[in-house]
Amino acid sequence: MSIQRISQIGAALFFLVLISGCASGGGGSADGGGAVGRDSQCRWNPRSCMYDGQYESGESDYAEQEAKRLNQAQTLRLQRHFVK
């Protein structure tokens, strides 16, 4: 078998593994749930995704500002989508 043929088979296997990993919906997070599952869970029960623990100093302010930034970005995205 030539080197070119082996590299072609390797590339095909790589993409097969990549596609099957994406299609499975599994995530790489420590809790075993993927972003897809977490997103679906948060959509139906937002309280289940809220953090209950204590924040480090300054982390609460950062989290609030980041939430505002993400909300504004989503608002702009929705406005662009619906107002054409």
Side-chain angles (χ1 to χ4, degrees):
M1 217 183 251
S2 70
I3 299 292
Q4 184 179 9
R5 184 69 177 151
I6 292 172
S7 64
Q8 288 174 344
I9 292 171
L13 286 174
F14 171 76
F15 286 114
L16 182 65
V17 168
L18 182 68
I19 290 171
S20 66
C22 292
S24 71
S29 64
D31 64 358
V36 173
R38 191 173 326 121
D39 182 48
S40 177
Q41 178 185 8
C42 293
R43 185 172 293 133
W44 296 110
N45 185 8
R47 288 188 177 272
S48 69
C49 297
M50 296 184 72
Y51 178 69
D52 283 342
Q54 294 186 1
Y55 288 103
E56 294 179 17
S57 68
E59 191 179 13
S60 178
D61 294 333
Y62 169 78
E64 250 183 75
Q65 289 189 357
E66 185 66 9
K68 285 179 186 177
R69 184 189 69 78
L70 291 170
N71 286 338
Q72 288 174 344
Q74 184 65 15
T75 299
L76 290 173
R77 193 174 306 128
L78 289 171
Q79 287 174 345
R80 280 190 303 244
H81 180 69
F82 290 110
V83 180
K84 289 185 177 186

